[in-house]
């Protein structure tokens, strides 16, 4: 019943450094841009670097916390998603900017999975370092960093990470988060 692409997506720790064809890599960001957004604001921004540009790739790795860097360093590309928090129509806060940026990333993940490419998103990084390096305007915020590439053979990560890599993460039963007609009492003010 559920689409294979959705079932096949997961976030590996084992990445190969094998290059991803530029056309395929660019298609991830094109797919991201097809996402719907409030007022068609398209508040997302992406920047990516591939390991061919070693200096900048290292700079991106330097944004990550150590526990992410140890495996993300093997990926072919690293990307950062950003959100523009203010509306381009009236400059007022767009409360859906993060939501819509997440929608764009979801498209990116779907496109990647369709091409056999894996993406592992990370919140474990220093947003301040990213803000400083890119001299970001106050209304542009970094959202997540993504490791992008083909799956590795597990030889370039620790035994512990390899074990984690081989285990798929669980999900809550649908009955815990999706309801018909009414929300459970525990979510409602008494
Ligand atoms: C916004 C966001 C931030 C995440 N940050 C990290 C992270 O810093 N390090 C990490 O190893 N995984 C991170 N993940 C991956 C999640 O742990 C993972 O998506 C979740 O456990 C479900 O597993 P799956 O993607 O393999 O289905 C993050 C995922 C998202 C969406």
């Amino acid at each position: 019943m559920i689409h294979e692409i959705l079932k096949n997506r997961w976030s590996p720790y084992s990445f190969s450094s094998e290059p991803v064809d530029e056309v395929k890599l660019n298609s991830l960001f094109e797919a991201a841009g097809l996402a719907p957004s409030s007022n068609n604001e398209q508040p997302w921004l992406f920047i990516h670097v591939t390991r061919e540009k070693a200096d900048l790739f290292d700079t991106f790795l330097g944004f990550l916390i150590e526990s992410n860097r140890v495996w993300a360093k093997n990926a072919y590309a690293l990307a950062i998603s950003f959100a523009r928090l203010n509306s381009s129509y009236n400059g007022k806060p767009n409360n859906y900017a993060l939501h819509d940026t997440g929608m764009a990333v979801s498209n990116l993940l779907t496109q990647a999975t369709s091409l056999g490419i894996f993406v592992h998103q990370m919140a474990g990084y220093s947003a301040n370092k990213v803000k400083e390096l890119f001299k970001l305007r106050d209304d542009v915020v970094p959202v997540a960093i993504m490791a992008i590439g083909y799956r590795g053979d597990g030889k370039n990560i620790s035994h512990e990470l390899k074990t984690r890599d081989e285990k798929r993460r669980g999900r809550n039963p649908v009955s815990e988060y999706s309801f018909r007609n009414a929300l459970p009492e525990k979510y409602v003010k008494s």
Side-chain angles (χ1 to χ4, degrees), residues 170-179:
R171 289 297 192 269
N172 297 330
V174 185
S175 58
E176 277 187 22
Y177 62 83
S178 173
F179 312 99

Side-chain angles (χ1 to χ4, degrees), residues 9-11 13 68 71 120-124 169 171:
R9 188 217 57 82
W10 58 282
S11 309
Y13 288 100
N68 283 331
W71 54 265
H120 194 144
Q121 299 173 77
M122 292 166 277
R169 294 173 196 99
R171 289 297 192 269

Side-chain angles (χ1 to χ4, degrees), residues 43-93:
W44 47 78
L45 301 168
F46 295 95
I47 181 165
H48 72 275
V49 63
T50 66
R51 49 192 313 115
E52 281 110 12
K53 199 161 175 56
D55 285 2
L56 192 58
F57 191 85
D58 278 353
T59 302
F60 275 42
L61 283 178
F63 297 146
L64 300 176
I65 58 172
E66 179 64 15
S67 56
N68 283 331
R69 195 181 307 130
V70 288
W71 54 265
K73 68 178 175 19
N74 301 318
Y76 174 64
L78 294 169
I80 309 175
S81 58
F82 303 88
R84 283 186 293 104
L85 299 179
N86 291 339
S87 158
S88 56
Y89 300 109
N90 55 20
K92 289 191 181 151

Side-chain angles (χ1 to χ4, degrees), residues 11 42-43 45-46 48 60 70 74-75 84 92-93 101 105 108 113 118-120 137 146 152 156 158 161 175 190:
S11 309
Q42 302 165 64
L45 301 168
F46 295 95
H48 72 275
F60 275 42
V70 288
N74 301 318
R84 283 186 293 104
K92 289 191 181 151
T101 300
V105 172
L108 185 156
T113 310
F118 286 85
V119 180
H120 194 144
R137 272 174 14 198
M146 292 168 267
N156 52 12
S158 67
L161 275 178
S175 58
S190 49

